[in-house]
């Protein structure tokens, strides 16, 4: 090859690389617009909310995140039960049998109160299903006793979560009055869900079963406005002036983790509606990314 030919070939190669880089940048600029729109939607929700709102939304494909007050410590209400479920699977005690006792009953024990105490035996996975699906407080306290509050908190600390703590059992008003509250940040909650989704906490078979339990049907604010057939694995939480929910949602081709926590809430139905609106905005965002080409054309999801 002559010197002129080599120069010509090098020039073509350089031009091709420059064109490819330019094309890639042009394609990336379009999803960036969608991300800015999603962030603006969440910002407007926070600005118009009569209370304190924290939100974290993370793309489980590339890790990109939108957050508002994501690192702020917030009361979890029953959303802390996700951490209890994580520890159950970490200890691999789902098949362990437990005989119900009358002392298990506390306010909000909708499922545990229906069984014959002293006779009925359930696996801890069954108990966890009641904890997640009906948010049964008695079921939750059984698991806290069996797993150990200290071990649950040690697990959280070991994962690097300094703002997530289980400080009291369910419906322990004396502990609450003493200042003990179950707390988390939306960032840490989403990080824990993402780690589980990515198989970093359990084996593949345990990960799949963990999310089956978390997907137990329930009244969900995150799912309330999504299209028919939408899939999600979530846990709600409600206390006086507190409304929360977190989980993983599965628009085709682009799953995402989301946590929305509110406190100092004046209008509980309004807070619930707001969580649904934020979730729908995020769902629509990821659904478009999941089925779009690099330039936004809708294509079949494989």
């Amino acid at each position: 090859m002559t010197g002129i030919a080599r120069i010509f070939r090098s020039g073509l190669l350089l031009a091709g690389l420059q064109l490819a880089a330019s094309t890639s940048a042009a394609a990336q600029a379009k999803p960036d617009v969608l991300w800015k729109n999603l962030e603006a939607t969440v910002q407007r929700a926070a600005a118009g909310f009569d209370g304190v709102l924290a939100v974290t939304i993370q793309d489980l494909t590339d890790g990109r995140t939108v957050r508002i007050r994501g690192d702020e410590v917030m009361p979890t209400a029953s959303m802390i039960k996700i951490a209890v479920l994580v520890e159950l699977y970490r200890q691999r005690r789902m098949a362990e049998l437990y005989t119900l006792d009358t002392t298990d009953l506390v306010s909000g024990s909708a499922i545990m109160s229906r069984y014959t105490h002293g006779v009925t035996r359930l696996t801890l996975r069954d108990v966890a299903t009641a904890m997640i699906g009906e948010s049964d407080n008695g079921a939750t306290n059984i698991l806290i006793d069996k797993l150990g509050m200290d071990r649950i908190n040690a697990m959280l600390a070991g994962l690097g979560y300094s703002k997530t703590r289980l400080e009291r059992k369910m419906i322990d008003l004396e502990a609450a009055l003493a200042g003990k509250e179950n707390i988390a940040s939306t960032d840490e909650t989403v990080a824990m869900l993402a780690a589980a989704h990515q198989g970093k906490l359990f084996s593949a078979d345990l990960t799949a079963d963990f999310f089956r339990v978390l997907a137990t049907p329930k009244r969900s604010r995150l799912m309330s406005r999504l299209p028919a057939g939408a899939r999600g694995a979530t846990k709600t939480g409600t206390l006086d002036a507190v409304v929360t929910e977190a989980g993983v949602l599965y628009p085709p081709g682009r799953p995402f983790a989301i946590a929305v926590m509110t406190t100092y809430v004046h209008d509980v139905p309004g807070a619930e509606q707001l969580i649904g609106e934020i979730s729908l905005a995020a769902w629509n965002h990821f659904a478009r990314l999941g089925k779009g080409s690099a330039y936004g054309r809708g294509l079949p999801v494989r």
Side-chain angles (χ1 to χ4, degrees):
M1 183 182 294
T2 67
I4 293 176
R6 281 196 296 270
I7 292 171
F8 181 69
R9 182 176 178 181
S10 298
L12 287 176
L13 178 60
L14 178 59
L17 291 173
Q18 290 173 336
L19 177 61
S22 176
T23 300
S24 176
Q28 182 56 48
K30 293 170 179 60
D32 284 348
V33 173
L34 298 183
W35 279 99
K36 289 178 182 177
N37 290 343
L38 176 60
E39 185 169 8
T41 298
V42 177
Q43 290 279 8
R44 285 194 299 271
F49 179 61
D50 184 12
V52 180
L53 172 73
V55 180
T56 302
I57 303 168
Q58 184 177 115
D59 189 340
L60 293 176
T61 300
D62 65 11
R64 190 163 180 173
T65 303
V66 167
R67 58 171 57 86
I68 303 292
R69 301 188 185 93
D71 63 350
E72 190 161 331
V73 175
M74 303 279 281
T76 62
S78 286
M79 201 182 80
I80 195 65
K81 295 170 184 178
I82 296 174
V84 178
L85 188 66
V86 167
E87 180 62 11
L88 173 65
Y89 277 77
R90 194 192 70 82
Q91 293 188 24
R92 301 172 65 95
R93 295 172 65 182
M94 295 77 70
E96 185 176 318
L97 290 170
Y98 181 76
T99 302
L100 297 180
D101 188 273
T102 53
T103 59
D104 298 330
L105 294 180
V106 294
S107 176
S109 298
I111 298 296
M112 296 295 107
S113 63
R114 299 175 188 174
Y115 296 125
T116 305
H117 287 239
V119 175
T120 301
R121 301 184 79 197
L122 300 171
T123 66
L124 293 188
R125 186 186 187 280
D126 294 333
V127 176
T129 300
M131 174 182 74
I132 296 298
E134 292 290 337
S135 204
D136 190 292
N137 290 321
T140 308
N141 288 347
I142 290 169
L143 290 174
I144 292 172
D145 285 340
K146 298 295 286 184
L147 301 172
M149 188 179 296
D150 289 345
R151 292 188 67 179
I152 293 168
N153 285 322
M155 173 272 295
L156 292 167
L159 291 173
Y161 306 147
S162 62
K163 298 177 179 180
T164 305
R165 286 291 177 272
L166 177 67
E167 295 191 343
R168 61 169 178 79
K169 293 170 74 171
M170 303 301 107
I171 315 299
D172 187 344
L173 183 58
E174 289 187 10
L177 290 172
K180 294 182 178 181
E181 193 54 77
N182 298 324
I183 53 173
S185 69
T186 56
D187 277 357
E188 289 188 353
T189 301
V190 162
M192 182 162 55
L193 290 165
H197 175 83
Q198 293 158 1
K200 296 179 179 178
L201 302 185
F202 327 111
S203 63
D205 59 330
L206 292 184
T207 296
D209 196 58
F210 171 87
F211 280 104
R212 275 193 290 271
V213 173
L214 194 58
T216 302
K218 63 184 72 68
R219 180 178 174 270
S220 166
R221 296 93 178 217
L222 288 175
M223 302 285 290
S224 64
R225 300 192 61 187
L226 301 188
R231 295 174 51 239
T234 72
K235 183 68 196 79
T236 61
T238 307
L239 284 171
D240 290 342
V242 174
V243 183
T244 64
E245 188 164 355
V248 174
L249 302 181
Y250 302 94
R254 202 81 176 202
F256 66 97
I258 178 171
V260 186
M261 303 177 73
T262 66
T263 191
Y264 287 102
V265 174
H266 174 68
D267 177 9
V268 168
E272 293 179 334
Q273 180 178 343
L274 181 63
I275 291 173
E277 291 171 355
I278 292 172
S279 176
L280 178 60
W283 178 278
N284 289 338
H285 168 80
F286 288 104
R288 282 189 285 181
L289 290 178
K291 70 181 181 182
S293 71
Y295 294 97
R297 175 186 171 183
L299 295 171
V301 178
R302 295 182 179 179

